[in-house]
Amino acid sequence: MLKFYLIFISIILSFVSSAQRKFEDEIIAFEKSDKISLPASGGLLLTGSSTIRLWDNYKKDLHPFNVLNRGFGGSTMQDLLFYFDRIIVPYKPKIMIVYEGDNDLAAEMPVEKIINDFSSFTEKMKTKLPETKFAFLSVKPTPGRSHLLPEQITLNKKIKTLCYKTSNCTFLDIFTPLLDEQNMPRIELFKEDKIHLNPMGYQICAQIIINYLKEQNEK
């Protein structure tokens, strides 16, 4: 019985390790780049899933703020927690923008499990980067995942509540501006895959982020 239990645990650990390693090449690439030229601390850090990674015009859209993009793969909040010490802590950002939750729901993770991961993230921030202000972007509505709209709404409400209870944390609503008059995703703001934003969609998100950054600078 003990032998069976150990084999089972080994399989589970191997699966988890394999799941995390799928992004290892991207993380190593960040680290190699940092060894050549480590970005200055105290700036603005963008991190999260492919919604951040694929933001090609982020420097132009968020001008004149000094921005570093560390989005990777099609990550989940679990993945971001796993790589926290390697792609967040070294930069000691003054402000950070986080986008996760989209792929978590698509992978059929329960909303409560996702919120627990977000809560774990806020605890890491308190412990390791207590001076950093950070904002969670709401999960965006997408034409390709419109069946997830009810879960997205629920998750966004819970993330917003979590932010209200957490120091240095802000919730930024990009969900509502991406909806049409029928409360469905505005298809003209998305790429052909119906999942990722196009330049027009990113510009809407950028304005929301810029308004938040200006507010923080005025405090």
Side-chain angles (χ1 to χ4, degrees):
M1 186 67 179
L2 177 60
K3 183 178 180 181
F4 173 79
Y5 176 76
L6 292 174
I7 291 174
F8 176 75
I9 293 298
S10 177
I11 291 173
I12 293 297
L13 291 175
S14 175
F15 174 79
V16 172
S17 176
S18 176
Q20 303 293 358
R21 280 202 303 267
K22 63 185 175 182
F23 301 122
E24 186 66 17
D25 288 346
E26 291 180 69
I27 306 305
I28 290 175
F30 291 149
E31 292 173 332
K32 287 182 177 179
S33 175
D34 293 343
K35 286 181 180 178
I36 297 172
S37 178
L38 181 65
S41 61
L44 169 63
L45 175 65
L46 304 179
T47 190
S49 66
S50 55
T51 293
I52 298 296
R53 176 175 59 85
L54 297 175
W55 192 348
D56 295 331
N57 296 323
Y58 68 94
K59 289 185 177 180
K60 178 181 178 181
D61 290 344
L62 297 175
H63 180 80
F65 296 94
N66 180 28
V67 191
L68 176 66
N69 189 322
R70 285 295 180 262
F72 63 102
S75 61
T76 65
M77 182 53 84
Q78 285 185 339
D79 298 316
L80 190 57
L81 283 168
F82 184 80
Y83 289 115
F84 188 96
D85 291 334
R86 293 171 64 184
I87 65 166
I88 294 178
V89 174
Y91 307 119
K92 298 180 177 62
K94 179 180 180 181
I95 300 178
M96 179 169 63
I97 306 295
V98 180
Y99 183 83
E100 293 290 7
D102 202 334
N103 296 316
D104 312 57
L105 287 174
E108 299 184 349
M109 292 185 191
V111 168
E112 289 304 323
K113 172 64 176 71
I114 301 171
I115 283 296
N116 286 339
D117 291 337
F118 271 76
S119 182
S120 296
F121 186 91
T122 65
E123 290 302 315
K124 276 183 175 285
M125 291 298 296
K126 289 178 186 177
T127 301
K128 300 194 174 186
L129 293 168
E131 302 301 319
T132 299
K133 296 178 180 180
F134 61 105
F136 289 135
L137 296 179
S138 66
V139 174
K140 68 185 188 301
T142 57
R145 292 174 176 169
S146 57
H147 62 289
L148 292 175
L149 282 172
E151 288 87 351
Q152 290 173 339
I153 291 170
T154 299
L155 179 57
N156 284 335
K157 287 181 179 178
K158 290 182 178 294
I159 296 173
K160 185 176 183 178
T161 299
L162 175 63
C163 283
Y164 280 144
K165 297 177 180 179
T166 305
S167 60
N168 290 338
C169 182
T170 302
F171 176 81
L172 297 181
D173 178 21
I174 63 170
F175 183 91
T176 305
L178 299 177
L179 295 175
D180 62 20
E181 294 179 354
Q182 284 73 45
N183 290 321
M184 294 298 291
R186 294 169 57 187
I187 195 166
E188 75 274 13
L189 301 178
F190 293 84
K191 294 181 178 180
E192 290 183 2
D193 64 7
K194 298 181 180 180
I195 298 293
H196 297 101
L197 295 168
N198 63 24
M200 289 190 300
Y202 276 119
Q203 286 174 11
I204 290 174
C205 295
Q207 190 56 58
I208 293 169
I209 293 172
I210 287 173
N211 291 341
Y212 161 72
L213 295 174
K214 288 180 178 179
E215 289 176 2
Q216 298 307 308
N217 284 342
E218 291 172 357
K219 291 182 179 179

